[in-house]
Amino acid sequence: MSASDTDIIQGCLANDIRMQEALYQKYAARMYAVCLRYAGNAEGAQDILQEGFVKVFRNLSKFRADGSFEGWMRRIFVNTAIEHHRRRHPLADPFSEREEQIEEGSWNALDKLALEDLMKMIQSLPEGYRTVFNLYTVEGYSHQEIGEMLGIQEGTSKSQFARARKALLERIKGHV
Amino acid sequence: MEWQKKLYEQEMSPPADLWPSLAKQIQQEQGRLTSRLQEAEAAPPSHVWLQIAKSLPAAADRQPGILRSLYRYSIPAAAALLGLLLLKYAMLEGRFFSPATTSLQRLRIPLRTGQPIAPAPKPLQEPAARTAHPFSLHDAKPQHSRVLAREALSYPGSNYVEVCDVRQEVCRRINYKLEYMAACLPAQGASSYPIACRRELLTWLEQIDKSNYIPAPGHLFDIVELVSLLSSE
């Protein structure tokens, strides 16, 4: 029987290496998928995964058991991915663009794609598009929140998202 | 939509060799935190004073007694510099230093590392509001320390008593900053939080952290922990 999150957390707080590994084994695959979505390639994703887990262990005592542990972890990994993005663009704002309206495209086509193909398409998006797309559609942040997280205007987030969507739909057309 | 759910729940196996290196890193992190806490209690090695003197030739020439006294009382060099930077700020702002604020009584402030810092007799000027930005060290770049230290010590009336006061003021400011930061942390269940505010605080705390300023063991721990927290959230 696998240990519960509570047992694992308690063990990790006691610096029990077996419980640390249990935590890693339980969540690594799911968090690695998050990292891959943001990183665009396996090497970058592994860096984010490693750094994210270090932060998880370092801050485990801050976790309040009134929410989902996985949700708490996921937020750490998403923020780590954003930090990686910032490190690569310390000065320039890759998101800085005028807001533009792009007509609504159908998302339904994405349902027909295999998950692996969808993942590849997301990874192939330019980094700015990819980050906003992931934050908005998968993590569920609002454009205002994304603006605060990335240090960009809300309108820029909307614009980036519209462009990401357009680029994705074009890739799907090419794929079909 | 189905694809969003699939993406959210997706799992991908990371390389098998990632855990051993991660485990090693985690153990190193644990060891580092422990040793930093131990360092907070340990006396600095004897050669450190020579480095301080070397890095502060002008200040040491003018008033070596002050710096030696600071060192003798186990105040880390960086804390002294930080104190001097604050003294500079104080002079520029003309706020919390005036002849009236110095007294012989303050010479008795316990200064040894590890001892609790006595509360300031009376706050000289509290920041206007909790939400306002109380203090900034953004301009205090390390390369300016020597110049600022020299200027601070050349200020008429500058002496050991005042530097002690500055240190106490630093401590007070740090306490205030920690409170301020705690107030800025997201409330439970909040969906958004003041990123810009936390970024600014993180920068400030990192400066403090890197400076090895050690007001008290508990504070050091708080700072390390809070920097970690802010780095991750």
Side-chain angles (χ1 to χ4, degrees):
Chain A
M1 195 178 86
S2 64
S4 71
D5 279 350
T6 309
D7 293 338
I8 290 174
I9 292 169
Q10 291 303 322
C12 291
L13 288 174
N15 204 20
D16 180 343
I17 187 105
R18 287 170 309 166
M19 284 300 169
Q20 288 171 344
E21 182 169 7
L23 188 149
Y24 175 83
Q25 297 299 351
K26 186 170 184 179
Y27 289 104
R30 192 162 282 194
M31 294 307 139
Y32 187 51
V34 174
C35 299
L36 276 171
R37 253 194 303 118
Y38 281 87
N41 60 58
E43 194 182 334
Q46 285 161 29
D47 286 345
I48 297 171
L49 186 72
Q50 182 143 352
E51 193 176 326
F53 265 111
V54 169
K55 287 179 183 174
V56 165
F57 287 116
R58 199 192 284 162
N59 294 292
L60 212 48
S61 61
K62 307 289 190 314
F63 172 66
R64 298 182 189 115
D66 53 1
S68 151
F69 179 60
E70 186 184 328
W72 179 80
M73 281 184 71
R74 183 180 284 264
R75 202 170 81 173
I76 288 180
F77 282 92
V78 168
N79 285 333
T80 305
I82 291 172
E83 282 169 25
H84 268 249
H85 170 84
R86 283 206 181 112
R87 262 178 241 156
R88 284 194 297 275
H89 305 281
L91 298 173
D93 178 3
F95 302 97
S96 178
E97 290 177 37
R98 281 188 303 122
E99 182 177 0
E100 64 175 58
Q101 296 298 323
I102 295 173
E103 64 182 52
E104 289 287 320
S106 168
W107 283 120
N108 295 336
L110 273 70
D111 280 335
K112 295 170 188 163
L113 281 176
L115 189 57
E116 191 179 328
D117 293 333
L118 178 56
M119 190 71 157
K120 280 181 186 165
M121 285 182 189
I122 292 172
Q123 287 183 310
S124 72
L125 289 172
E127 192 167 8
Y129 293 6
R130 187 171 66 235
T131 305
V132 172
F133 178 86
N134 280 324
L135 288 171
Y136 186 77
T137 60
V138 186
E139 262 67 54
Y141 288 102
S142 70
H143 284 300
Q144 186 185 350
E145 287 170 325
I146 295 169
E148 287 176 7
M149 292 168 89
L150 299 176
I152 59 175
Q153 298 291 317
E154 183 180 348
T156 308
S157 173
K158 287 180 183 172
S159 170
Q160 290 284 317
F161 176 67
R163 285 162 181 263
R165 184 169 59 186
K166 186 181 177 189
L168 257 187
L169 293 175
E170 280 171 0
R171 281 167 169 76
I172 292 169
K173 274 184 196 168
H175 179 79
V176 172
Chain B
M1 278 172 278
E2 190 62 27
W3 62 270
Q4 284 169 295
K5 190 168 181 287
K6 282 197 288 186
L7 277 176
Y8 191 86
E9 294 175 349
Q10 189 183 14
E11 295 192 355
M12 303 278 281
S13 295
D17 60 354
L18 203 62
W19 168 248
S21 70
L22 181 60
K24 192 176 169 188
Q25 194 177 348
I26 292 161
Q27 292 303 312
Q28 282 172 347
E29 285 270 326
Q30 293 280 355
R32 201 153 42 226
L33 182 61
T34 306
S35 72
R36 288 179 73 178
L37 289 171
Q38 285 167 348
E39 278 170 19
E41 298 291 346
S46 58
H47 68 271
V48 175
W49 163 245
L50 296 175
Q51 290 173 357
I52 298 169
K54 195 176 173 185
S55 65
L56 286 170
D61 285 347
R62 292 177 74 99
Q63 299 205 31
I66 292 175
L67 292 174
R68 287 213 181 92
S69 298
L70 286 170
Y71 187 73
R72 193 183 309 132
Y73 282 100
S74 299
I75 299 172
L81 285 177
L82 195 57
L84 292 167
L85 289 174
L86 278 169
L87 180 57
K88 171 71 176 176
Y89 272 87
M91 287 188 298
L92 288 175
E93 296 177 14
R95 292 199 301 187
F96 53 80
F97 272 91
S98 68
T101 66
T102 59
S103 74
L104 283 176
Q105 281 183 334
R106 296 190 184 183
L107 195 57
R108 311 297 180 196
I109 294 168
L111 288 169
R112 291 178 204 281
T113 303
Q115 286 189 5
I117 304 298
K122 183 181 176 184
L124 297 162
Q125 183 171 342
E126 290 291 343
R130 200 176 170 83
T131 52
H133 176 231
F135 189 68
S136 171
L137 280 177
H138 285 178
D139 295 326
K141 295 182 175 63
Q143 63 266 35
H144 296 154
S145 299
R146 196 168 60 187
V147 176
L148 292 177
R150 185 174 63 239
E151 288 182 17
L153 287 170
S154 64
Y155 179 66
S158 171
N159 57 36
Y160 182 37
V161 177
E162 287 187 340
V163 176
C164 292
D165 283 344
V166 170
R167 183 169 186 271
Q168 196 169 47
E169 182 66 13
V170 173
C171 188
R172 195 178 69 80
R173 295 270 179 178
I174 285 179
N175 285 335
Y176 183 81
K177 199 80 182 183
L178 293 175
E179 282 180 26
Y180 171 77
M181 189 181 60
C184 289
L185 288 175
Q188 285 186 16
S191 61
S192 65
Y193 32 85
I195 298 280
C197 162
R198 291 192 303 126
R199 197 178 303 143
E200 180 190 338
L201 287 161
L202 176 60
T203 304
W204 189 87
L205 281 171
E206 279 176 341
Q207 286 174 343
I208 298 293
D209 190 40
K210 285 175 187 167
S211 75
N212 280 333
Y213 176 65
I214 305 171
H219 288 169
L220 175 70
F221 187 75
D222 283 345
I223 289 168
V224 172
E225 286 290 291
L226 288 164
V227 168
S228 303
L229 176 67
L230 288 170
S231 301
S232 65
E233 291 212 337

